[in-house]
Amino acid sequence: MSGAILATERATARVAGDVVGGAVPRLGILGGGQLAKMLVQAAAQLGCRTVCVEMERDCPAGLLTPVEVVPGWDAAEEVARVLEALEVVTLENEFIPERTLALLASRGHRVLPGPATMERIRDKFLQKSTLAAAGLPVPAFAAVENPEELVARGREWGWPLVLKARCHGYDGKGNATVHGPEDVRPAWQRLGGDRGRALYVEAFCPFERELAVIVTRGRDGRCAVYPVVETCQKDHICHHVVAPAQVPPARAARAAELARAAVESVGGIGSFGVELFLGPDGGVWINELAPRVHNSGHYTIEACECSQFENHVRAVLGWPLGSTRMRTPAAAMVNLLGRRHGSGRVRGLEQALAMPGVHVHIYGKTRCAPGRKMGHVTALGATPDEALARALAAAQVLDFGDVQP
């Protein structure tokens, strides 16, 4: 779509919205990956028009909505130009530079989550500091500027430790578990500390289970809290999610309350993913939060009365939030991770679709790589074990890529 055509479409949509009192709301989304795609689907259901901004047109969201291409997220003026007619702008990732978000806000866009919230969350050390200042339980943490400081923390807190990149780390790409002094320099180099990348360290938190909660907070401060789920992580990548988590009600209530408080502490608006640890003694600690719709909440599309994606759209547009109640006794979500390099072609789809109680989501990525999220499967069931077994069976027959590099 040419710039002139898109500009005309923007102007027409704005006038139409004004004429009918905003009956044609338009939403700008920074990012065009699978999260943006599912936001677009939810927005369309509510009659919204969307435009995504990405660095390439060939992205999952491009299957459903116009995509405006920019040279990079730091090209603030260009991002602002392509979104000039959109009042509300949201984002599918936390990597948009502060300057770009601030420029959009200064031009009159309602950016949600806002620049101040993103500033508190993007840097994970600042995120932990914000949570700790709010009196919320987090593992011990500290900034480290050299390997020697990391060794000193190991002597103080004991091994292992978790070394993390302060910014731009996700799906395990910015984490390293350090088991002893001999692991310090390799971990430091792998995460880029020797090249000037800012790192911090956390005490290892012994846990019995990893939990997650989606919290949607509206413009008016009201929150919709989804059921507490259990996540299974391998190599810092989520492999599956089971809802609801099979933990004592008091522990689930504690996790839900901490998740709500965490989102409130950063002034979040929209759907946020909050990851937590459940300790063997029943204690609950906050691991981290993501200022966006989250992988641990994909099950909500089929399993809840209002999905995390629909509630995010409702929240940023200032609409009432929907119910988070589950429509089924149990649900499970399994991520479809790439096993090889190759095309994004999916195999085994017909076999998976023939399985009862299974819902397949293929993101439409054109290239596959090991560990890359290519889709997910959600299954419903009478029990968590039944739902997980169905989802795993469907995921087992689905594969991506081919023999070409």
Side-chain angles (χ1 to χ4, degrees):
M1 180 179 293
S2 71
I5 293 174
L6 186 58
T8 301
E9 181 190 359
R10 288 194 189 112
T12 302
R14 169 162 278 187
V15 170
D18 291 342
V19 169
V20 297
V24 187
R26 288 173 60 83
L27 179 63
I29 302 174
L30 297 174
Q34 65 265 21
L35 300 180
K37 178 184 177 184
M38 288 181 273
L39 281 172
V40 168
Q41 290 172 314
Q45 178 182 322
L46 298 175
C48 302
R49 297 183 182 275
T50 53
V51 173
C52 288
V53 181
E54 244 313 344
M55 284 170 280
E56 55 183 36
R57 199 174 305 281
D58 187 12
C59 60
L63 295 169
L64 304 176
T65 195
V67 175
E68 281 285 273
V69 178
V70 295
W73 295 125
D74 56 349
E77 288 289 346
E78 182 67 11
V79 173
R81 183 189 67 78
V82 302
L83 293 173
E84 59 187 355
L86 299 173
E87 179 185 352
V88 180
V89 176
T90 190
L91 54 153
E92 72 145 11
N93 67 67
E94 54 267 50
F95 307 134
I96 315 299
E98 180 184 349
R99 176 177 175 272
T100 299
L101 297 180
L103 179 64
L104 288 171
S106 73
R107 299 279 175 87
H109 300 281
R110 190 187 292 268
V111 181
L112 299 171
T117 296
M118 296 307 300
E119 184 180 2
R120 297 186 188 106
I121 291 181
R122 182 186 296 107
D123 184 322
K124 292 185 179 180
F125 175 75
L126 295 182
Q127 179 187 132
K128 279 291 195 305
S129 299
T130 300
L131 296 174
L136 299 175
V138 295
F141 66 99
V144 286
E145 296 186 359
N146 52 62
E148 290 71 29
E149 290 184 2
L150 183 57
V151 171
R153 289 296 177 181
R155 290 171 180 159
E156 178 183 357
W157 297 339
W159 306 95
L161 300 174
V162 182
L163 185 65
K164 294 185 175 183
R166 291 179 58 158
C167 299
H168 300 288
Y170 67 100
D171 285 351
K173 295 179 174 62
N175 296 350
T177 302
V178 184
H179 295 279
E182 67 281 359
D183 293 338
V184 167
R185 288 202 175 273
W188 191 267
Q189 293 171 359
R190 183 165 72 81
L191 295 187
D194 58 333
R195 300 185 297 277
R197 190 179 191 186
L199 307 178
Y200 80 105
V201 63
E202 292 183 4
F204 184 82
C205 184
F207 59 88
E208 180 181 274
R209 300 185 184 194
E210 293 185 78
L211 307 176
V213 184
I214 300 296
V215 176
T216 307
R217 186 168 180 264
R219 289 187 193 175
D220 60 1
R222 296 183 180 180
C223 289
V225 181
Y226 284 86
V228 178
V229 302
E230 182 174 354
T231 67
C232 175
Q233 312 280 334
K234 299 177 183 177
D235 299 322
H236 303 284
I237 299 177
C238 179
H239 279 242
H240 68 253
V241 172
V242 175
Q246 299 303 286
V247 298
R251 302 294 178 230
R254 172 65 172 163
E257 181 52 39
L258 288 176
R260 179 201 293 265
V263 175
E264 290 176 340
S265 75
V266 298
I269 296 177
S271 290
F272 283 58
V274 185
E275 299 176 349
L276 309 102
F277 295 126
L278 176 64
D281 60 353
V284 182
W285 295 269
I286 299 172
N287 178 21
E288 60 185 43
L289 59 153
R292 52 173 169 77
V293 288
H294 193 254
N295 190 214
S296 65
H298 290 353
Y299 77 97
T300 64
I301 296 174
E302 286 84 21
C304 294
E305 292 182 357
C306 185
S307 76
Q308 65 161 340
F309 300 97
E310 181 180 334
N311 256 341
H312 183 87
V313 172
R314 291 184 183 213
V316 300
L317 292 177
W319 295 344
L321 302 182
S323 169
T324 62
R325 187 172 60 184
M326 290 185 66
R327 298 184 290 195
T328 179
M333 186 280 298
V334 175
N335 277 317
L336 301 176
L337 304 176
R339 303 170 190 170
R340 65 183 66 82
H341 290 281
S343 77
R345 177 187 176 189
V346 59
R347 297 190 298 275
L349 182 58
E350 291 186 9
Q351 188 176 349
L353 292 176
M355 298 180 178
V358 167
H359 302 266
V360 179
H361 295 255
I362 305 300
Y363 299 151
K365 297 179 181 179
T366 57
R367 302 302 298 173
C368 178
R372 191 180 194 198
K373 292 173 180 172
M374 303 298 294
H376 73 266
V377 172
T378 297
L380 311 181
T383 66
D385 287 344
E386 178 183 77
L388 181 58
R390 286 177 175 174
L392 288 171
Q396 185 64 34
V397 303
L398 292 163
D399 194 14
F400 298 84
D402 49 33
V403 295
Q404 283 115 18

